[in-house]
């Protein structure tokens, strides 16, 4: 399945080599890649955007702010963005904190397999598009439900008016019937 939207991905890592690896890995995919070397810089980028971010990939160990702390703040700015935590150091406490506070979608160990990373990113973007489609359909359903409520109100008024008209005609017919008798 092909993706339907143009996607923006933010990648955070204090290692320039990792950032250039991501650029190399995804330059042909048509994604807009944004990069930051630390959490505060990433937050500034997110707050300055006038379009949504589909995916955020953050290293765990960075100066000034951990990846978990960053993802927790990023979630408040772009709650629908899919979030990955990338790390070379596995710790169950870090994983639990990232899941609970950053609502991460994936936990990926360094080094990663490029093909697997491409697949994981594609799946995440499909998931993001599903979120967008669900929101669109929910908004459409609400709008259509409101229209139905309005139509029902109008229909009730029409039925009430016709019922009164029928009652008047019945009354008139009743009088005419008496006159005929």
């Amino acid at each position: 399945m092909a993706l339907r939207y143009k996607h923006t991905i933010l990648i955070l890592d204090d290692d320039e080599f990792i950032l250039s690896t991501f650029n190399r890995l995804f330059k042909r995919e048509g994604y807009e890649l944004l990069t930051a070397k630390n959490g505060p810089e990433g937050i500034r980028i997110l707050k300055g955007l006038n379009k949504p971010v589909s995916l955020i990939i953050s290293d765990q160990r960075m100066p000034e702010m951990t990846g978990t702390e960053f993802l927790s703040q990023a979630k408040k700015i772009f709650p629908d963005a899919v979030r990955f935590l990338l790390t070379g150091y596995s710790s169950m406490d870090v994983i639990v904190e990232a899941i609970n506070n950053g609502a991460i979608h994936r936990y990926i160990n360094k080094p990663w397999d490029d093909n697997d990373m491409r697949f994981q990113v594609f799946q995440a973007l499909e998931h993001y598009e599903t979120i967008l489609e669900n929101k669109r359909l929910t908004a459409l359903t609400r709008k259509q439900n409101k229209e139905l409520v309005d139509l029902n109100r109008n229909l009730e008024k029409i039925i009430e008016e016709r019922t009164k008209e029928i009652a008047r005609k019945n009354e008139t017919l009743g009088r005419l019937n008496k006159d005929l008798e």
Side-chain angles (χ1 to χ4, degrees):
M1 178 176 123
L3 297 173
R4 296 189 301 186
Y5 302 105
K6 177 130 173 80
H7 294 279
T8 300
I9 301 172
L10 174 63
I11 302 165
L12 261 76
D13 203 302
D14 59 332
D15 185 342
E16 190 65 44
F17 177 75
I18 297 290
L19 296 176
S20 65
T21 299
F22 272 105
N23 278 316
R24 176 190 50 80
L25 193 60
F26 292 115
K27 71 178 166 188
R28 289 191 200 120
E29 304 294 332
Y31 310 137
E32 180 181 354
L33 293 180
L34 306 173
T35 59
K37 293 184 179 181
N38 58 54
E41 182 183 348
I43 296 297
R44 278 192 302 279
I45 289 171
L46 291 176
K47 286 184 175 179
L49 288 174
N50 58 358
K51 61 183 170 190
V53 172
S54 307
L55 174 63
I56 301 170
I57 302 172
S58 177
D59 184 26
Q60 173 60 17
R61 287 192 172 181
M62 294 182 295
E64 300 180 54
M65 183 185 289
T66 67
T68 302
E69 292 167 338
F70 167 76
L71 291 172
S72 180
Q73 289 185 34
K75 178 182 153 195
K76 294 173 187 167
I77 301 168
F78 286 105
D80 293 334
V82 178
R83 290 170 292 283
F84 286 4
L85 185 66
L86 185 66
T87 187
Y89 309 97
S90 300
S91 159
M92 187 55 73
D93 293 338
V94 168
I95 295 170
V96 170
E97 184 183 356
I99 291 169
N100 291 339
N101 298 336
I104 64 166
H105 188 76
R106 291 265 191 272
Y107 182 86
I108 300 173
N109 283 314
K110 293 179 185 176
W112 64 83
D113 175 73
D114 285 351
N115 289 328
D116 185 53
M117 180 62 80
R118 279 191 200 97
F119 179 72
Q120 296 295 333
V121 165
F122 182 79
Q123 273 193 326
L125 296 176
E126 280 184 323
H127 179 74
Y128 180 76
E129 288 190 356
T130 301
I131 291 169
L132 294 181
E133 184 65 8
N134 284 342
K135 284 187 166 204
R136 185 189 71 79
L137 291 173
T138 299
L140 179 63
T141 301
R142 283 189 184 121
K143 179 183 174 228
Q144 289 175 336
N145 282 342
K146 184 186 177 312
E147 290 171 357
L148 281 173
V149 166
D150 293 343
L151 285 172
N152 275 338
R153 278 193 205 116
N154 289 338
L155 188 58
E156 287 171 2
K157 286 179 186 174
I158 292 169
I159 290 171
E160 188 179 318
E161 288 171 11
R162 291 217 175 132
T163 302
K164 286 178 184 176
E165 185 182 326
I166 290 171
R168 283 192 304 271
K169 287 184 179 179
N170 250 354
E171 197 177 292
T172 305
L173 283 174
R175 273 186 269 131
L176 288 172
N177 220 3
K178 273 188 178 175
D179 290 347
L180 278 175
E181 285 177 6

